[in-house]
Amino acid sequence: MNEGTPRSGKTTADIYKMAYFYANSPDQNHLVSAYNQEQAFRMFMDGDGLGLIHIFNGVSTLRHDDHGDHLLLHSPDGDKSKEKKIYYKGGGKVNSVGSIRGISLGSVVFLELDMLNGEFIEEAFRRTFAAKWRYHLGEQNPPAPNHPNLERLERFENAGTLKFRHWTPNDNPILSKDRKQQLHDELIVSDYLYRRDWLGQRVMPQGVIYSMFDQDKHMTKKIKGHVLETFFTTDAGQSDATTCAFWAVTFDEGNYYLYRMANYYHSGVDTGVKAMSVYAREIKIFLEWCYNEWPEFPYWNYFFVDPAAKSLREELHLVGIETDKADNNASDAKRRGGGIETGIERVQNLFNNQQLYLYDIDGEYDHYNLIKELGMYVRNDNGIPVDIDNHAADELRYGGNYFYNYYIK
């Protein structure tokens, strides 16, 4: 288990470790898992140019068989019995376990293990029972000390076969001294963020703002009632994330419900800054995808954008999307205890009343990034929301504000 702070270099180290392992392992089938298949491919197979498809360039091909998508490593002597298959799959959903049943595996990589479904993890362990070289490699940012997935490692800890490595920004040679100092100064303002993202410690996030969110309760593949309308909410940035969500409002047996159906998300910090014109074109593709996915839904009434994102609004107009200013709770700030706290309280109430749901969808437009933020968006020691890990959470608030003002108020 490699556990530690974001940007500590652990995933890149894992890629090279496993490349060596695959080349030498006598087992044919192996698995790389992440929250969804796209994450597994992006983080490990591509790895920003350092992944397995680049390491094995010229001696491998991407293939598909009855067990799924995989990277096929060719044997140097052409003996097909010596070929290796590295499958990459999503393991974050309730039904993910079905994708690995029936496969015999030599090894499993668990990317962001704390985000994976528990039964998927257990089944992956069982899939390696017959391996000649049985090996599992996990990596994650520090979870809460009581995270249930930590209990799943106890079998190895008790058997004396668990190797734990702790990572911090000082372990990443690509981070300059100045950049590490910038990160330190940014994180030191919050005890929780400093301990988790600088020291790499497991911290109980007592200040998590949306602690009432429960994936079992608030994620669903079923929509209650009749869809009344759809709309979009958008928050924008360049080094910060740009995110756009598709929403549906329904009515069923006297109650209104709000569903966050899908999400476009791109982080400039993580994968490179894009021009606002590029974001606008990609958001338009996302919009069209939503109505191809749910052609029975009524067309959108509003396309809400953070009022501060003036450049993105103009670019959206140029690609034919008329926009409206999102309710970012600026008017509520005039009242004591108002501002974003008003919007946060509305979303909290919607979760508590089970009127707000995330539609459980597979693929690149799922809610992975929002779910991550819901576990990391916290208050500082003075009780003020920390303006980090909250881009999708801000856009969630815009959706909650509209729903509250027109259907609840």
Side-chain angles (χ1 to χ4, degrees), residues 273-305:
V273 175
K274 297 181 180 181
M276 284 297 166
S277 58
V278 175
Y279 282 127
R281 291 195 296 270
E282 292 184 354
I283 287 172
K284 185 174 184 179
I285 292 171
F286 169 64
L287 183 155
E288 293 169 348
W289 178 90
C290 290
Y291 288 106
N292 287 329
E293 185 73 13
W294 295 284
E296 72 277 14
F297 283 10
Y299 208 64
W300 57 276
N301 286 338
Y302 298 99
F303 199 106
F304 295 112
V305 182

Side-chain angles (χ1 to χ4, degrees), residues 115-127:
M115 295 287 291
L116 302 184
N117 176 263
E119 182 55 32
F120 176 89
I121 296 171
E122 295 291 347
E123 183 65 18
F125 291 154
R126 290 190 284 268
R127 293 294 95 205

Side-chain angles (χ1 to χ4, degrees), residues 84-374:
K84 313 288 175 63
K85 296 180 178 181
I86 307 167
Y87 294 92
Y88 50 98
K89 295 178 179 289
K93 305 296 180 69
V94 174
N95 60 351
S96 298
V97 67
S99 70
I100 60 172
R101 287 199 170 116
I103 310 178
S104 293
L105 297 170
S107 69
V108 182
V109 172
F110 301 101
L111 301 172
E112 296 185 317
L113 183 133
D114 55 312
M115 295 287 291
L116 302 184
N117 176 263
E119 182 55 32
F120 176 89
I121 296 171
E122 295 291 347
E123 183 65 18
F125 291 154
R126 290 190 284 268
R127 293 294 95 205
T128 61
F129 278 176
K132 297 181 177 68
W133 289 7
R134 187 173 185 238
Y135 187 67
H136 311 94
L137 178 63
E139 65 103 70
Q140 63 186 359
N141 298 330
N146 62 349
H147 195 289
N149 281 353
L150 296 176
E151 298 177 4
R152 306 183 191 283
L153 305 181
E154 290 180 356
R155 59 164 74 184
F156 302 103
E157 189 171 11
N158 294 336
T161 57
L162 176 66
K163 174 70 173 179
F164 181 89
R165 288 188 175 91
H166 180 259
W167 294 69
T168 73
N170 290 317
D171 295 309
N172 190 346
I174 203 171
L175 295 179
S176 66
K177 182 178 179 180
D178 289 343
R179 175 51 57 86
K180 285 189 286 188
Q181 187 62 50
Q182 290 172 5
L183 292 173
H184 175 275
D185 294 345
E186 176 183 320
L187 298 169
I188 195 68
V189 299
S190 164
D191 179 66
Y192 168 73
L193 292 175
Y194 178 72
R195 292 170 63 189
R196 181 185 183 277
D197 290 346
W198 181 257
L199 301 178
Q201 297 176 354
R202 296 175 183 173
V203 184
M204 178 60 72
Q206 296 177 347
V208 168
I209 290 171
Y210 294 116
S211 59
M212 70 292 300
F213 173 76
D214 184 329
Q215 288 195 54
D216 292 334
K217 291 181 180 179
H218 298 118
M219 293 196 72
T220 182
K221 282 188 173 293
K222 296 181 179 179
I223 296 177
K224 298 178 183 179
H226 172 67
V227 178
L228 299 178
E229 73 161 317
T230 62
F231 64 93
F232 291 84
T233 57
T234 303
D235 192 28
Q238 286 192 314
S239 59
D240 291 336
T242 292
T243 173
C244 178
F246 178 53
W247 300 84
V249 178
T250 73
F251 183 77
D252 183 57
E253 297 184 354
N255 293 309
Y256 294 102
Y257 297 94
L258 178 62
Y259 291 85
R260 190 179 193 262
M261 301 299 298
N263 177 222
Y264 164 88
Y265 186 100
H266 179 267
S267 171
V269 170
D270 291 343
T271 53
V273 175
K274 297 181 180 181
M276 284 297 166
S277 58
V278 175
Y279 282 127
R281 291 195 296 270
E282 292 184 354
I283 287 172
K284 185 174 184 179
I285 292 171
F286 169 64
L287 183 155
E288 293 169 348
W289 178 90
C290 290
Y291 288 106
N292 287 329
E293 185 73 13
W294 295 284
E296 72 277 14
F297 283 10
Y299 208 64
W300 57 276
N301 286 338
Y302 298 99
F303 199 106
F304 295 112
V305 182
D306 177 8
K310 296 179 180 179
S311 176
L312 180 60
R313 289 192 71 190
E314 291 303 318
E315 294 294 343
L316 288 170
H317 296 163
L318 291 176
V319 297
I321 300 176
E322 292 302 315
T323 66
D324 301 273
K325 290 183 179 180
D327 179 359
N328 63 356
N329 301 112
S331 61
D332 298 307
K334 300 174 183 177
R335 298 183 293 103
R336 183 174 180 179
I340 67 171
E341 292 290 355
T342 300
I344 287 172
E345 184 177 343
R346 289 170 180 168
V347 174
Q348 289 173 333
N349 289 337
L350 292 174
F351 277 137
N352 283 327
N353 296 336
Q354 290 191 256
Q355 290 179 280
L356 172 57
Y357 295 92
L358 310 185
Y359 188 80
D360 192 358
I361 186 172
D362 293 316
E364 63 176 314
Y365 294 137
D366 65 15
H367 306 281
Y368 167 82
N369 293 287
L370 175 62
I371 294 170
K372 284 186 68 174
E373 288 190 12
L374 292 176

Side-chain angles (χ1 to χ4, degrees), residues 37-48 270-271 368:
Q37 186 181 50
E38 287 76 15
Q39 289 289 109
F41 186 88
R42 182 178 64 81
M43 294 175 66
F44 218 79
M45 311 307 286
D46 179 48
D48 291 330
D270 291 343
T271 53
Y368 167 82

Side-chain angles (χ1 to χ4, degrees), residues 32-82:
V32 174
S33 62
Y35 180 80
N36 57 36
Q37 186 181 50
E38 287 76 15
Q39 289 289 109
F41 186 88
R42 182 178 64 81
M43 294 175 66
F44 218 79
M45 311 307 286
D46 179 48
D48 291 330
L50 299 174
L52 297 178
I53 60 174
H54 303 286
I55 293 173
F56 293 111
N57 183 33
V59 294
S60 67
T61 52
L62 289 169
R63 295 282 182 84
H64 180 89
D65 63 14
D66 291 342
H67 294 307
D69 297 329
H70 61 274
L71 181 67
L72 180 67
L73 304 186
H74 307 299
S75 172
D77 60 7
D79 186 348
K80 290 188 176 297
S81 68
K82 298 178 183 178

